[in-house]
Amino acid sequence: MSNAKSIACYKVAASYKVSYRIAKGKKPHSMGETLVLPAAIDMIETMLGESYADQLKIIPLADNTVGRRISDISEDLCDQLIEKVKLSYLPALQVDKIVLLLLPMFLSMHT
């Protein structure tokens, strides 16, 4: 894999990881762009230098990007859950897809 491709993969992976933490903490999507990224840049700049901190600036953390990442993660988790239920050997676990689609919303309200 070329260096440019690996950097692109790393920045997307970093964006997903931060988006996951924002969702898990139930924080506003804008937090990635307004708090997390500037704080990370400050820390890296202080500890390692400006050239390393500049590399963080390419991580996409705009609020709409974070929102899309959270939706992607949620959709993927639903798909994984549906597949596990479909593969289940227990007939009692065979549930309508609509129930599985509503399950994440139900769980988020009760956690």
Side-chain angles (χ1 to χ4, degrees):
M1 185 183 305
S2 73
N3 193 30
K5 276 188 181 181
S6 65
I7 289 173
C9 289
Y10 289 136
K11 77 176 188 176
V12 170
S15 178
Y16 270 100
K17 286 182 176 189
V18 172
S19 298
Y20 175 75
R21 287 186 180 272
I22 290 170
K24 191 174 177 184
K26 299 180 181 179
K27 301 297 181 191
H29 297 169
S30 60
M31 185 163 281
E33 190 174 37
T34 60
L35 179 66
V36 175
L37 188 57
I41 290 170
D42 289 344
M43 288 185 287
I44 297 300
E45 191 173 75
T46 302
M47 294 181 68
L48 302 174
E50 194 172 332
S51 64
Y52 288 100
D54 287 343
Q55 294 177 30
L56 295 180
K57 293 176 184 175
I58 64 169
I59 298 172
L61 289 175
D63 59 346
N64 59 339
T65 302
V66 170
R68 277 195 317 274
R69 304 274 192 247
I70 291 169
S71 292
D72 290 348
I73 292 167
S74 176
E75 189 175 315
D76 183 59
L77 288 172
C78 282
D79 290 346
Q80 288 180 43
L81 180 60
I82 289 168
E83 283 306 308
K84 285 185 179 190
V85 170
K86 283 180 180 177
L87 296 173
S88 170
Y89 294 108
L90 301 173
L93 289 179
Q94 298 297 325
V95 183
D96 280 346
K97 189 173 183 177
I98 190 70
V99 173
L100 292 174
L101 292 174
L102 295 175
L103 183 63
M105 183 177 65
F106 174 80
L107 292 175
S108 70
M109 290 189 298
H110 296 285
T111 56

